[in-house]
Amino acid sequence: MSQLIFFRLWRMTPSHFPKKKHMSAVDISTEIIIERPIEVVSSYAADPDNAPQWNQHIHAMSWRTPRPMRAGTLLAFEANFLGRELAYVYEVMRFEPAELLVMRTTDGPFPMQTTYQWRRHNRHHTHMLLRNEGDPGVFFRLLSPILSQIMGKASQSDLEKLKQILEQEG
Protein backbone atom coordinates (compact mmCIF):
# COMPACT_ATOMS: atom_id res chain seq x y z
CA MET A 1 0.00 0.00 0.00
CA SER A 2 2.74 2.49 0.94
CA GLN A 3 4.52 1.70 -2.35
CA LEU A 4 1.35 2.58 -4.25
CA ILE A 5 1.06 5.92 -2.42
CA PHE A 6 4.73 6.68 -3.10
CA PHE A 7 4.29 5.80 -6.79
CA ARG A 8 1.27 8.09 -7.13
CA LEU A 9 3.08 10.98 -5.43
CA TRP A 10 6.15 10.41 -7.61
CA ARG A 11 4.03 10.62 -10.78
CA MET A 12 2.36 13.87 -9.74
CA THR A 13 3.30 17.01 -11.58
CA PRO A 14 3.19 20.51 -10.06
CA SER A 15 -0.31 20.96 -11.52
CA HIS A 16 -1.55 18.21 -9.15
CA PHE A 17 -0.67 20.26 -6.09
CA PRO A 18 -2.86 23.10 -4.82
CA LYS A 19 -1.53 26.55 -5.60
CA LYS A 20 -0.15 28.28 -2.54
CA LYS A 21 -0.68 31.91 -1.74
CA HIS A 22 2.51 33.95 -1.44
CA MET A 23 4.13 32.90 1.80
CA SER A 24 6.24 35.27 3.85
CA ALA A 25 9.74 34.09 4.60
CA VAL A 26 9.15 35.30 8.16
CA ASP A 27 5.79 35.01 9.91
CA ILE A 28 5.89 35.12 13.70
CA SER A 29 2.97 35.37 16.09
CA THR A 30 3.37 35.73 19.84
CA GLU A 31 0.74 36.36 22.45
CA ILE A 32 0.30 37.08 26.12
CA ILE A 33 -2.37 37.70 28.75
CA ILE A 34 -1.87 40.97 30.65
CA GLU A 35 -3.65 41.63 33.93
CA ARG A 36 -4.97 45.05 32.93
CA PRO A 37 -8.13 46.19 31.14
CA ILE A 38 -8.09 46.23 27.34
CA GLU A 39 -8.29 50.05 27.21
CA VAL A 40 -5.09 50.38 29.27
CA VAL A 41 -3.12 47.73 27.36
CA SER A 42 -4.15 48.86 23.89
CA SER A 43 -3.67 52.58 24.49
CA TYR A 44 -0.17 52.03 25.91
CA ALA A 45 0.96 49.48 23.28
CA ALA A 46 -0.51 51.44 20.35
CA ASP A 47 1.24 54.65 21.39
CA PRO A 48 4.48 54.59 19.39
CA ASP A 49 6.09 56.99 21.89
CA ASN A 50 6.09 54.05 24.34
CA ALA A 51 7.78 51.59 21.95
CA PRO A 52 11.35 52.21 23.22
CA GLN A 53 10.24 51.35 26.77
CA TRP A 54 8.95 47.86 25.92
CA ASN A 55 10.54 46.89 22.60
CA GLN A 56 14.12 45.83 23.29
CA HIS A 57 15.41 46.71 19.82
CA ILE A 58 13.82 50.14 19.32
CA HIS A 59 15.81 53.04 20.76
CA ALA A 60 14.18 55.99 18.97
CA MET A 61 10.85 56.85 17.38
CA SER A 62 9.49 59.97 15.70
CA TRP A 63 6.20 60.98 14.14
CA ARG A 64 6.48 61.78 10.42
CA THR A 65 2.86 62.91 10.23
CA PRO A 66 0.79 64.82 12.81
CA ARG A 67 -1.00 63.03 15.61
CA PRO A 68 -3.40 61.37 16.35
CA MET A 69 -2.78 57.80 15.20
CA ARG A 70 -4.94 56.85 12.22
CA ALA A 71 -4.68 55.07 8.87
CA GLY A 72 -1.98 56.82 6.87
CA THR A 73 0.11 57.89 9.89
CA LEU A 74 3.86 57.58 9.24
CA LEU A 75 6.20 56.59 12.09
CA ALA A 76 10.01 56.47 11.90
CA PHE A 77 11.91 54.01 14.09
CA GLU A 78 15.57 53.45 14.83
CA ALA A 79 16.55 50.05 16.13
CA ASN A 80 19.44 47.70 16.66
CA PHE A 81 18.92 44.13 15.49
CA LEU A 82 21.59 41.44 15.13
CA GLY A 83 24.25 44.06 15.78
CA ARG A 84 23.07 46.30 12.94
CA GLU A 85 21.56 49.76 13.17
CA LEU A 86 18.27 49.84 11.31
CA ALA A 87 16.11 52.80 10.34
CA TYR A 88 12.66 52.21 8.94
CA VAL A 89 9.32 53.93 8.45
CA TYR A 90 5.98 52.29 9.16
CA GLU A 91 2.69 53.41 7.66
CA VAL A 92 -0.42 52.67 9.71
CA MET A 93 -2.73 50.64 7.48
CA ARG A 94 -5.55 50.10 10.00
CA PHE A 95 -6.16 51.41 13.47
CA GLU A 96 -9.18 50.45 15.51
CA PRO A 97 -8.60 51.58 19.13
CA ALA A 98 -8.76 48.74 21.67
CA GLU A 99 -8.97 46.21 18.82
CA LEU A 100 -6.36 46.32 16.07
CA LEU A 101 -3.27 48.13 14.78
CA VAL A 102 -1.70 47.10 11.46
CA MET A 103 1.48 48.81 10.22
CA ARG A 104 3.57 48.15 7.12
CA THR A 105 7.08 49.38 6.35
CA THR A 106 7.34 51.91 3.57
CA ASP A 107 11.08 52.31 3.93
CA GLY A 108 13.69 50.15 5.57
CA PRO A 109 15.90 47.09 5.24
CA PHE A 110 13.11 44.68 4.29
CA PRO A 111 9.33 44.71 3.85
CA MET A 112 7.54 43.93 7.11
CA GLN A 113 4.01 44.10 8.42
CA THR A 114 3.35 44.28 12.15
CA THR A 115 -0.05 43.62 13.69
CA TYR A 116 -1.15 44.23 17.27
CA GLN A 117 -4.48 42.71 18.20
CA TRP A 118 -6.24 43.03 21.54
CA ARG A 119 -9.11 40.96 22.87
CA ARG A 120 -10.86 41.20 26.21
CA HIS A 121 -9.89 38.02 28.11
CA ASN A 122 -12.16 39.06 30.98
CA ARG A 123 -12.95 42.34 32.71
CA HIS A 124 -9.44 42.79 34.13
CA HIS A 125 -7.28 40.83 31.67
CA THR A 126 -6.34 41.47 28.04
CA HIS A 127 -5.11 39.00 25.45
CA MET A 128 -2.57 40.65 23.13
CA LEU A 129 -1.28 39.17 19.90
CA LEU A 130 1.85 40.52 18.19
CA ARG A 131 2.47 39.32 14.64
CA ASN A 132 5.40 40.18 12.37
CA GLU A 133 5.48 38.98 8.81
CA GLY A 134 7.67 39.90 5.91
CA ASP A 135 10.29 38.98 3.40
CA PRO A 136 13.85 39.73 4.49
CA GLY A 137 15.24 39.42 0.97
CA VAL A 138 17.33 36.79 -0.82
CA PHE A 139 20.28 36.72 1.59
CA PHE A 140 18.23 36.55 4.78
CA ARG A 141 15.68 34.18 3.20
CA LEU A 142 18.31 31.46 3.48
CA LEU A 143 18.53 32.27 7.19
CA SER A 144 14.77 32.69 7.68
CA PRO A 145 14.37 29.72 10.07
CA ILE A 146 17.07 31.16 12.35
CA LEU A 147 15.84 34.72 11.84
CA SER A 148 12.28 33.61 12.68
CA GLN A 149 13.47 31.95 15.87
CA ILE A 150 15.41 35.05 16.96
CA MET A 151 12.51 37.37 16.10
CA GLY A 152 10.04 35.08 17.89
CA LYS A 153 12.09 35.11 21.09
CA ALA A 154 12.52 38.88 20.87
CA SER A 155 8.76 39.40 20.32
CA GLN A 156 7.91 37.18 23.29
CA SER A 157 10.43 39.06 25.43
CA ASP A 158 8.91 42.37 24.30
CA LEU A 159 5.42 41.23 25.29
CA GLU A 160 6.71 40.07 28.68
CA LYS A 161 8.32 43.49 29.19
CA LEU A 162 5.04 45.18 28.23
CA LYS A 163 3.19 42.95 30.71
CA GLN A 164 5.69 43.82 33.46
CA ILE A 165 5.38 47.57 32.83
CA LEU A 166 1.58 47.58 32.73
CA GLU A 167 1.03 45.24 35.66
CA GLN A 168 3.39 47.28 37.86
CA GLU A 169 1.35 50.40 37.10
CA GLY A 170 -1.87 48.68 38.20
Side-chain angles (χ1 to χ4, degrees):
M1 173 94 168
S2 63
Q3 292 172 335
L4 180 61
I5 293 170
F6 174 75
F7 179 73
R8 285 185 180 160
L9 288 173
W10 178 73
R11 291 192 54 201
M12 288 183 165
T13 64
S15 64
H16 288 93
F17 297 102
K19 294 191 191 294
K20 292 183 180 180
K21 294 180 181 176
H22 178 267
M23 298 290 284
S24 297
V26 174
D27 190 347
I28 302 127
S29 291
T30 53
E31 49 194 283
I32 199 162
I33 302 289
I34 300 174
E35 190 177 347
R36 297 288 283 152
I38 194 169
E39 296 78 16
V40 172
V41 175
S42 61
S43 65
Y44 185 89
D47 183 346
D49 290 321
N50 294 327
Q53 280 85 45
W54 65 274
N55 188 304
Q56 65 183 310
H57 297 292
I58 296 172
H59 55 80
M61 192 294 301
S62 61
W63 292 77
R64 289 277 178 94
T65 53
R67 298 165 201 243
M69 175 84 78
R70 61 183 173 276
T73 296
L74 297 175
L75 306 163
F77 293 91
E78 294 176 26
N80 186 299
F81 186 68
L82 297 176
R84 293 184 60 199
E85 275 300 309
L86 305 175
Y88 51 94
V89 175
Y90 267 117
E91 178 179 0
V92 174
M93 307 309 290
R94 279 182 67 190
F95 181 53
E96 299 169 27
E99 289 182 32
L100 182 71
L101 170 60
V102 179
M103 304 178 288
R104 186 175 303 144
T105 55
T106 61
D107 181 27
F110 59 86
M112 181 68 68
Q113 180 169 298
T114 299
T115 303
Y116 299 166
Q117 188 173 32
W118 304 278
R119 298 213 188 278
R120 192 176 311 277
H121 185 69
N122 63 37
R123 206 167 59 140
H124 302 290
H125 292 78
T126 302
H127 175 263
M128 181 172 171
L129 172 100
L130 170 58
R131 181 177 183 195
N132 287 296
E133 56 185 317
D135 189 350
V138 176
F139 175 73
F140 284 113
R141 192 172 299 131
L142 299 172
L143 302 173
S144 65
I146 295 166
L147 188 61
S148 292
Q149 186 177 15
I150 292 167
M151 288 177 68
K153 285 181 180 180
S155 292
Q156 190 64 46
S157 177
D158 291 341
L159 287 180
E160 289 169 7
K161 178 71 174 182
L162 178 64
K163 175 182 175 81
Q164 177 189 16
I165 291 168
L166 292 173
E167 289 181 357
Q168 282 179 349
E169 286 180 359

